[in-house]
């Protein structure tokens, strides 16, 4: 995204807040961009950084063509520093190195910017060290912190930042943007039901793993009508080998939720379009008569419980085995 007007289409309130600060020349020395993955945190921070360094601004927008804008796009601007977790956290040594960089004069001007990705992973020592920048801000320094979980950060850091809340992308807008990127309507509808991130959705649309995951889940749901006696074998031969890590397992359960929601919607609205399952009327009819509305509500709760068990580190194979048997009852 190259302009504030583009970001405003998906984050109107947050964008207007930043643009008003630019217009009034009241850019904060520190921002905390908090919101779900893919809601535009990084794009907004980089656009603000480009504005601060741009040599040929176009109103509130950077020109996107000067050497400074190009350096930021390529990640090579000498006065913009990017910090992200080293392993599971951002460590005190990383903040010390940042402090050292800030003792030097700017290469191009006195302006300096640092962006901290996943700022909620700062260790306590690193966070306390970071407060030095925030408590004694330089006029030419702008800090931007990006997080999906702002409330887990130290209150002393939050209180020294202007907090910018980014909202999830509405499914309709995401579906439209996906179709503009060349994703077909059926896939765009499914992807916009799974994520509010345009970037993540586009990655999934090109991912063979996701295409296979979709087939496995559809086959599992359809087996409750055609071959219920083979479901336990099926999950061991197909589900467990495919969904190997926590992220994949949770993605599989999200797809399973959509499948059973499709069946429930067919009960309530006979002409409802499906999101995951085929719209083939003969197939749908067989699946719909297999489950009552009461059963479907119970199943959806059981899948949500399975997701909670995974987050609680219950053994994944056991979770899926139990779920398969619960659905079959």
């Amino acid at each position: 995204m190259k302009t504030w007007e583009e970001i405003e289409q998906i984050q109107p309130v947050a964008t207007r807040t930043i643009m008003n600060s630019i217009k009034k020349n009241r850019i904060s020395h520190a921002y905390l961009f908090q919101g779900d993955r893919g809601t535009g945190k990084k794009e907004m921070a980089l656009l603000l950084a480009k504005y601060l360094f741009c040599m040929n601004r176009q109103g509130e927008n950077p020109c996107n063509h000067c050497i400074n804008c190009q350096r930021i796009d390529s990640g090579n601007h000498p006065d913009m520093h990017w910090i992200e977790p080293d392993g599971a956290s951002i460590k005190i040594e990383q903040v010390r190195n940042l402090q050292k960089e800030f003792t030097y004069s700017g290469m191009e001007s006195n302006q300096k910017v640092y962006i901290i990705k996943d700022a909620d992973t700062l260790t306590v020592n690193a966070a306390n060290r970071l407060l030095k920048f925030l408590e004694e801000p330089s006029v030419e320094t702008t800090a931007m912190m990006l997080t999906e979980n702002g409330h887990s950060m130290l209150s002393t850091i939050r209180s020294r930042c202007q907090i910018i809340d980014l909202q999830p992308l509405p499914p309709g807008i995401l579906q439209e943007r996906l179709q503009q990127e060349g994703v077909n309507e059926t896939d765009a509808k499914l992807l916009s039901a799974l994520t509010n991130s345009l970037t993540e959705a586009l990655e999934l649309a090109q991912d063979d793993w996701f295409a296979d995951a979709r087939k496995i889940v559809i086959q599992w749901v359809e087996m409750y009508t055609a071959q219920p006696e083979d479901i336990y074998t099926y999950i061991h031969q197909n589900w467990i080998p495919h969904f190997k890590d926590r992220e994949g397992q949770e993605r599989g359960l999200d797809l399973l939720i959509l499948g059973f929601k499709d069946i429930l919607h067919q009960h309530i609205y006979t002409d409802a379009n499906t999101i995951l399952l085929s719209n083939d009327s003969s197939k749908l009819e067989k699946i719909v008569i297999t489950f009552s509305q009461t059963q479907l509500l119970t199943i959806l709760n059981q899948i949500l419980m399975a997701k909670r068990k995974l987050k609680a580190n219950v053994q994944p194979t056991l979770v899926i085995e139990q779920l398969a048997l619960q659905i079959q009852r």
Side-chain angles (χ1 to χ4, degrees), residues 85-104:
D86 178 10
S89 62
I90 297 172
K91 300 173 174 60
I92 191 170
E93 290 79 9
Q94 293 174 271
V95 179
R96 285 189 182 130
N97 290 335
L98 179 66
Q99 282 182 304
K100 184 177 179 181
E101 288 291 337
F102 273 66
T103 61
Y104 305 130

Side-chain angles (χ1 to χ4, degrees), residues 58 81 83 129 142 147 228 243 296 306:
Q58 311 292 312
H81 304 274
I83 297 177
R129 187 93 182 188
T142 303
T147 178
F243 299 100
L296 290 166

